[in-house]
Each structure stands twice: as structure tokens, then as C-alpha cells.
């Protein structure tokens, strides 16, 4: 896999950004303290993070929103350009090519025969991809993140969906933009992810593991047993949501930080999010919006039954652990970036830390400009009609009145 190097100045706050990023990640896997300490570094200008390649990328994964007829033509144009003009190997999910509109297109046949295909949850392509290109909305970027449980190739996301907060590129002039990325002429923002470990009490139900890959794409070897319990690990880009599910009772969960109980959430649930996720569900629940370069984890209650429970931001290096309270009247439910929803019962636990594998998101301009552009265009942040200024005659009258009052 072609390596992506980060900034050539001060290392950004992630262990996957300096020229030895692969070495660091391998060491971090065996030394959790190294992973956590890697966030302690120099403060740098986010705009200095640039995409550079050790060698030109040769393989690209194209992710297209399924069942969207408006994306068929952009998808065909992009794939033909990548194969014929750049001589790249293009990977797509098998069900993308099963679209009846593509099957019946004879002109697209020569290109279609060159694709490499994969099936989610069955085929591991994480070591074969140099670049990811997304066509659709923010969901395509979240889906791309879920496919890579380790290091993630750089992601170029085109805005062809509805909101598009995480997809900054317009498709009109895609040829020149793709060429610039392939040449390494682009800025990049390293979006931190959460490493989530779900440990469950065994309940006698076996999980089918096809071809040695678990349901979340992790090798079956990661389904290990801890003191008779089953553990599964996820990489999350936006947020982990723990809620009350279909129950009419309050959710009642305990939140621990580095082993210490910090609070009990009594309400509809709690959101644990990355800075990238701060503009998603967390923003709707009243949290602040945090730039993705800020190393932090956000904890946001969902409709808490308390007037004083405000969202909080904790350092990226801490470990959060969430469990059902002993007094809980019902179970809870958890989801990861809106997927893999499952029930959490007494004795189960959810451990959350900052992952050593961020998602490198390619920018149109730079991390700061792109973020404020998304705030303005997608969320209409601080949109207000401008206050009118005083007419000149009123200003003069106010000044004269002030002078008279001062002289009296």
C-alpha cells in the first residue's frame, strides 16, 4: 500500500502523521501508552498539513451511494478517467455493479470488466488501497471509515448528496482536482477516530464469522475472550450513541473516566463523539462544534432529566467506560456511526479511547477554510440579517444632543 506522509513541519497531534507513521502505529498496537502519549506534541498551524506520496498511488477505492440514479453518470465518468487516463486499479463494492442501469449499459462494459470487486464483511482490502474517492453525502465517508479498522488511506469526498459537511469537493471539474491529489498537491486534515471496545457477558449465542471476518470487518482473531466475556472492537469516525432504545424508562448508565466514576446519565442517552462528530448528532443535542484538529472527546447527554447536565469536552488521551447502572430498570442500546446497533445488558461494558488510526481527509483549500465554509454553507452558522447603520442626520443629531447635555 502506498504510504501517505503528513506535514513536514511539526508533527500534528496524532501518531499517524510523521514520516515514520507506519512504524509508530505498529509500535502503538503493542504499547497502548505510546499511543496515548503520541498526542502530546508541538502546536502547529493546521494549514501546514500537506498530502505527500512516497510513490504515485496505483489503486483507488471508489465508494458510491447505493440506489441513487443521479450518481450513475458521475460514477462512470470518474471510473473511466481513473482507468483510462491514469492507468489505476479501481476497486468497487460488488453490489454497486449489480445496479440494473449499469448491467444494461453496453458502452460501460469494457470499463466494467476491469473493476476489482469486494464484499463488505467478507473481503479485507485494507492493505490494497492507496486512495479512496467518495461520491455521495457524508454517509459515504462514514462507510469508508468502517471498511478500515486499521490505517486509512487518504479520502477525497465529492459532494453529491444532501448535506455534504464532510464532502468538500464539487464534481464539475473532477479531472483537475483528482490530478492534483494524485500529484500530492493538496492539504489534508487528520480526523481522529474512536477505538471502541464492547465487552459482553456470554449468553450462549454464537456469532457467525464468514471467511474469518467478523460482522464489523475485523479479523475473527480480535473476537477474544476476557474472563469468559466476548469482546469486539470498532473504529468510529463520528460518534458512539448509547440510548434507551424502545423502552419507555429513562436510560440509566454510569460513565467512568480513567477508572473513576464521573457521573450517571439519566435521560434518553449519551453521545460520545470526536471533533468531526461534534457537528452531527452532538450539535443537535446542544454540544459545541469543535474543529477536527482539536484533540478531544466530547460527552453530550441526550435529553437529560437534569437542569445542570451540560455537554463536556475531555482530553483525547483519556479512556471512557460506560456501563448500565445497577439500578437501571431496562437495557440500553448502542450504535457506532449509526451502524451495528446492538443491545447492552447488565454486565456489559463499552470502553472508548482515541484511536491511533485517524482518517486523512483531503481538503479543497485547507483544514480551517474548509471547516468554516461547511459551517456557513451546510449549517448556516450564525446567519443573521445585518443590523442597519444610523442615517447620517440621526448620527449628527445624536452627537449634537450629547454635546448639549455635556455642556449643561
Amino acid at each position: 500500500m502506498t504510504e501517505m506522509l503528513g506535514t513536514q513541519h511539526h508533527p500534528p497531534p496524532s501518531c499517524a502523521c510523521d514520516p515514520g507513521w507506519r512504524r509508530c502505529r505498529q509500535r502503538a498496537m503493542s504499547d497502548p501508552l505510546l499511543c496515548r502519549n503520541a498526542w502530546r506534541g508541538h502546536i502547529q498551524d493546521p494549514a501546514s498539513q500537506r498530502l505527500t506520496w512516497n510513490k504515485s498511488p496505483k489503486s483507488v477505492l471508489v465508494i458510491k451511494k447505493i440506489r441513487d440514479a443521479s450518481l450513475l453518470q458521475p460514477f462512470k465518468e470518474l471510473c473511466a478517467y481513473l482507468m483510462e487516463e491514469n492507468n489505476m486499479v479501481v476497486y468497487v463494492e460488488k453490489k454497486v455493479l449489480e445496479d440494473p442501469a449499469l448491467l444494461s449499459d453496453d458502452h460501460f462494459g469494457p470499463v466494467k470488466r476491469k473493476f476489482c470487486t469486494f464484499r463488505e464483511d467478507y473481503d479485507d482490502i485494507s492493505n490494497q488501497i492507496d486512495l479512496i474517492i467518495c461520491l455521495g453525502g457524508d454517509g459515504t465517508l462514514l462507510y469508508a471509515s468502517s471498511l478500515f479498522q486499521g490505517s486509512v488511506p487518504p479520502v477525497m469526498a465529492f459532494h453529491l448528496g444532501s448535506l455534504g459537511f464532510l464532502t468538500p469537493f464539487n464534481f464539475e471539474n473532477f479531472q483537475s482536482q483528482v490530478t492534483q491529489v494524485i500529484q500530492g498537491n493538496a492539504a489534508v486534515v487528520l480526523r481522529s477516530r474512536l477505538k471502541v471496545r464492547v465487552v459482553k457477558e456470554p449468553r450462549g449465542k454464537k456469532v457467525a464469522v464468514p471467511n474469518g471476518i467478523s460482522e464489523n470487518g475485523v479479523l475473527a482473531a480480535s473476537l477474544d475472550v476476557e474472563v469468559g466475556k466476548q469482546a469486539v472492537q470498532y473504529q468510529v469516525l463520528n460518534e458512539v450513541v448509547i440510548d434507551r432504545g424502545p423502552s419507555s424508562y429513562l436510560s440509566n448508565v454510569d460513565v467512568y473516566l480513567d477508572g473513576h466514576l464521573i457521573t450517571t446519565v439519566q435521560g434518553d442517552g449519551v453521545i460520545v463523539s470526536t471533533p468531526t462528530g461534534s457537528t452531527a448528532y452532538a450539535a443537535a443535542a446542544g454540544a459545541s462544534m469543535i474543529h477536527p484538529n482539536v484533540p478531544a472527546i466530547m460527552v453530550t447527554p441526550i435529553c437529560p432529566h437534569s437542569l445542570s447536565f451540560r455537554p463536556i469536552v475531555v482530553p483525547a488521551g483519556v479512556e471512557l467506560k460506560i456501563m448500565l447502572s445497577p439500578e437501571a430498570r431496562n437495557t440500553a442500546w448502542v450504535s457506532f456511526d449509526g451502524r451495528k446497533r446492538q443491545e447492552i445488558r447488565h454486565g456489559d461494558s463499552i470502553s472508548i479511547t482515541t484511536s491511533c488510526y485517524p482518517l486523512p481527509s483531503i481538503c479543497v483549500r485547507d483544514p480551517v477554510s474548509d471547516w468554516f465554509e461547511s459551517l456557513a454553507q451546510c449549517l448556516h452558522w450564525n446567519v443573521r440579517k445585518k443590523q442597519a447603520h444610523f442615517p447620517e442626520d440621526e448620527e449628527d443629531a445624536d452627537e449634537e444632543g450629547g454635546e448639549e447635555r455635556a455642556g449643561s
Side-chain angles (χ1 to χ4, degrees):
M1 173 176 165
T2 303
E3 294 190 8
M4 193 258 335
L5 307 186
T7 175
Q8 297 176 2
H9 307 290
H10 299 300
S14 167
C15 51
C17 51
D18 66 307
W21 66 285
R22 185 185 297 275
R23 255 190 331 272
C24 179
R25 279 196 287 242
Q26 290 172 342
R27 291 175 58 198
M29 292 295 289
S30 59
D31 187 355
L33 291 178
L34 174 63
C35 175
R36 292 174 60 177
N37 291 337
W39 283 88
R40 303 170 186 170
H42 299 283
I43 297 175
Q44 70 154 44
D45 176 12
S48 67
Q49 296 175 193
R50 305 293 299 179
L51 173 68
T52 56
W53 304 96
N54 280 343
K55 57 182 179 179
S56 180
K58 297 299 182 185
S59 60
V60 57
L61 169 62
V62 176
I63 295 178
K64 170 190 164 294
K65 187 178 179 182
I66 304 295
R67 295 183 297 275
D68 190 335
S70 66
L71 297 182
L72 289 176
Q73 189 59 33
F75 172 75
K76 291 188 285 188
E77 292 179 10
L78 173 66
C79 293
Y81 176 75
L82 292 170
M83 291 181 182
E84 297 171 359
E85 300 296 329
N86 292 278
N87 197 29
M88 299 185 76
V89 178
V90 178
Y91 285 78
V92 295
E93 193 172 2
K94 187 176 181 180
K95 61 184 177 182
V96 170
L97 298 182
E98 294 172 352
D99 190 311
L102 289 177
L103 292 174
S104 61
D105 189 344
D106 296 332
H107 296 289
F108 192 61
V111 175
K112 188 168 57 178
R113 286 190 287 270
K114 297 179 183 178
F115 281 114
C116 292
T117 61
F118 72 97
R119 295 170 299 167
E120 184 189 8
D121 298 337
Y122 284 84
D123 302 315
D124 183 10
I125 59 170
S126 58
N127 291 322
Q128 302 174 42
I129 305 300
D130 299 329
L131 173 67
I132 303 172
I133 298 180
C134 296
L135 302 176
D138 293 344
T140 58
L141 193 71
L142 296 175
Y143 177 66
S145 172
S146 71
L147 294 176
F148 294 84
Q149 296 298 304
S151 60
V152 188
V155 181
M156 183 181 191
F158 284 96
H159 180 196
L160 292 168
S162 52
L163 183 63
F165 193 93
L166 304 177
T167 54
F169 287 91
N170 292 319
F171 194 76
E172 285 74 18
N173 55 341
F174 76 92
Q175 295 95 335
S176 61
Q177 295 182 107
V178 170
T179 298
Q180 286 190 351
V181 168
I182 292 174
Q183 293 174 349
N185 184 21
V188 66
V189 56
L190 293 173
R191 297 185 179 275
S192 64
R193 299 197 292 174
L194 299 175
K195 182 179 74 172
V196 186
R197 188 176 182 82
V198 180
V199 179
K200 291 188 175 185
E201 292 278 3
R203 294 182 177 92
K205 183 179 180 180
K206 295 184 178 180
V207 179
V209 182
N211 290 356
I213 304 293
S214 71
E215 65 169 287
N216 67 320
V218 184
L219 290 176
S222 67
L223 291 172
D224 56 283
V225 176
E226 293 183 345
V227 196
K229 299 183 178 182
Q230 188 182 58
V232 185
Q233 186 171 296
Y234 302 88
Q235 296 284 332
V236 175
L237 179 60
N238 259 2
E239 75 271 301
V240 181
V241 178
I242 298 97
D243 60 68
R244 59 189 176 93
S247 173
S248 59
Y249 292 112
L250 288 173
S251 173
N252 195 344
V253 296
D254 293 333
V255 180
Y256 296 82
L257 190 150
D258 285 342
H260 302 284
L261 177 65
I262 59 171
T263 193
T264 297
V265 180
Q266 298 180 94
D268 280 354
V270 63
I271 305 166
V272 180
S273 59
T274 64
T276 295
S278 70
T279 52
Y281 193 177
S288 295
M289 295 180 289
I290 299 180
H291 189 275
N293 274 111
V294 178
I297 298 175
M298 303 184 65
V299 180
T300 306
I302 307 171
C303 297
H305 198 246
S306 167
L307 297 178
S308 59
F309 196 166
R310 305 303 303 157
I312 61 172
V313 179
V314 298
V318 305
E319 180 181 48
L320 296 169
K321 189 173 184 177
I322 299 175
M323 303 178 67
L324 276 180
S325 298
E327 300 83 11
R329 297 181 178 182
N330 56 294
T331 62
W333 288 75
V334 62
S335 60
F336 314 92
D337 284 340
R339 309 180 77 215
K340 309 297 182 185
R341 187 166 170 82
Q342 55 195 267
E343 191 174 17
I344 299 297
R345 303 181 182 183
H346 285 284
D348 300 342
S349 66
I350 305 166
S351 299
I352 305 170
T353 60
T354 298
S355 171
C356 284
Y357 303 107
L359 184 143
S361 180
I362 299 172
C363 305
V364 172
R365 287 184 290 176
D366 61 77
V368 175
S369 299
D370 282 14
W371 192 66
F372 278 102
E373 180 73 13
S374 292
L375 286 181
Q377 296 299 320
C378 300
L379 299 182
H380 303 293
W381 176 63
N382 196 28
V383 173
R384 182 191 186 277
K385 193 172 183 179
K386 290 286 187 180
Q387 185 182 52
H389 64 81
F390 284 126
E392 292 184 4
D393 54 347
E394 290 187 17
E395 290 181 0
D396 294 340
D398 287 343
E399 291 177 2
E400 291 175 1
E403 292 173 358
E404 289 176 0
R405 288 191 295 274
S408 61

